[in-house]
Amino acid sequence: MAPQPAAPASPARGTRPRNRRALILAAATELFYRRGYDQLTMGDLAEAVGIGPSALYRHFTGKQHLLREVLTDGLAPARRVLTELDVADRAAALRRLGALAVDHRPLGLLWQREARHLTNEDRAAFRGDLHQIGALLTGHVRTLRPGIDPAAAELLAWSMIGVLTSISFHRVELPRPGYDDLLAELAGAVLDTPLPDGFTAAPPPRPGFVALVPASRREALLNEAVRMFAAHGYTEVGIEEIAAAVGISGPSVYHHFPSKLDLLVTALRRGAAALLTDVSAVYRTATGAGDGLGRLVRSYLGFTQAHHELVDLLITEVDHLPDDERRHSRQTQRDYLDEWVHLLRAVHPGLDPAAARVRVQAVLTVANDAARTPRVRANPALPAALEAIATQLLHLPD
């Protein structure tokens, strides 16, 4: 769930600070982070920095332009740090990455939730910048682990990025530099993970693969809606498009779902129910806290692989729900995470609750990121590799 930090302070009206552009970007970063792109207007953003909309338009042509600059500026420190990083002093390098993550906490959520709102050209450029960052960290991983398979090095690098950006998805606060050190420790745990020998580049996709079609028209509509919402965003998909995907007219959808919103609500409710059912099964069958947590890891990895589009919706589309449904969805996510934390602290009784939550969110974010990346998801060795990473992050017995 996205945190809700305090709104940025507005400068006094009537002043013209020399760093106005920087102030606008800082305010926009916080507001996009707290409220989401769809929920903001240029007027909201102008108000946050104490200027009129016309003054805002002198710096940015529109909200989409402003988002592009927020994301581009957000990546610049990461690129600079990774370019300069001296991994000869491994401990210092990891601490620097931990500090970078805390200093730029909103970035992970922003790029995962909001980058879809960019123009096609800007989105392609932003992805290129992200891939450059991934390549820089992959190079450092290969330096620190000479002889590792290139595909394994890339997975470890992106998993380290997942750990570092995972703090975007919760509100846990820890004193610094302890927070930096915890993230450095977790990134180091990923770096040291012994991956399965079979983890190499994924084989090419199977030719001629055709997905099965449900017998029920209602199920077919739900499947297509989830797929299309994940690919294009809830607001960009219409009922007519969903209907056409299953070969019916738009009005026919309403025989099965009262509205487009009901499709989203149904999908997210199902995802939450599946996760909580898995928790119930773990408590009924596990032989102890360690076994239970290991089972939760495996069940969540299975869920993210089979329902990666639902994972995408849980990250990107919850804010479109009605207030009651949104609160219920977020509470369900918290309840699910609480069970992980409960089991982790049963395994490690002295573990601080806040630190335990940070560890658990790191595992979930690494799993989510891998599932949402088609090229990575296609690797048949991925579940075993992610389980190995989770085992390291949670300090579970092998």
Side-chain angles (χ1 to χ4, degrees), residues 247-332:
I248 62 175
S249 65
S252 298
V253 174
Y254 300 115
H255 296 306
H256 306 279
F257 293 94
S259 66
K260 184 178 81 165
L261 181 59
D262 196 55
L263 283 158
L264 180 62
V265 168
T266 302
L268 294 180
R269 282 180 178 174
R270 282 192 176 187
L275 290 175
L276 293 179
T277 299
D278 284 348
V279 170
S280 178
V282 163
Y283 280 112
R284 288 175 177 271
T285 59
T287 59
D291 178 50
L293 192 53
R295 289 172 186 249
L296 268 186
V297 167
R298 290 186 289 276
S299 75
Y300 190 72
L301 293 176
F303 176 86
T304 59
Q305 295 297 295
H307 303 287
H308 54 89
E309 290 151 333
L310 267 181
V311 172
D312 194 279
L313 299 189
L314 284 166
I315 293 171
T316 63
E317 307 298 345
V318 169
D319 284 341
H320 293 295
L321 297 174
D323 289 346
D324 287 349
E325 283 290 340
R326 183 168 62 252
R327 284 192 292 270
H328 179 266
S329 178
R330 287 176 172 164
Q331 185 60 54
T332 301

Side-chain angles (χ1 to χ4, degrees), residues 320-388:
H320 293 295
L321 297 174
D323 289 346
D324 287 349
E325 283 290 340
R326 183 168 62 252
R327 284 192 292 270
H328 179 266
S329 178
R330 287 176 172 164
Q331 185 60 54
T332 301
Q333 292 179 53
R334 284 193 292 268
D335 290 345
Y336 180 69
L337 191 145
D338 284 347
E339 299 301 340
W340 282 67
V341 172
H342 170 68
L343 289 174
L344 179 58
R345 296 190 68 220
V347 175
H348 304 293
L351 187 59
D352 175 75
R357 191 166 293 267
V358 171
R359 285 182 183 276
V360 167
Q361 185 64 63
V363 171
L364 300 183
T365 302
V366 168
N368 293 345
D369 289 355
R372 297 176 70 209
T373 306
R375 180 171 55 83
V376 176
R377 188 174 65 243
N379 196 316
L382 180 66
L386 292 178
E387 185 176 348

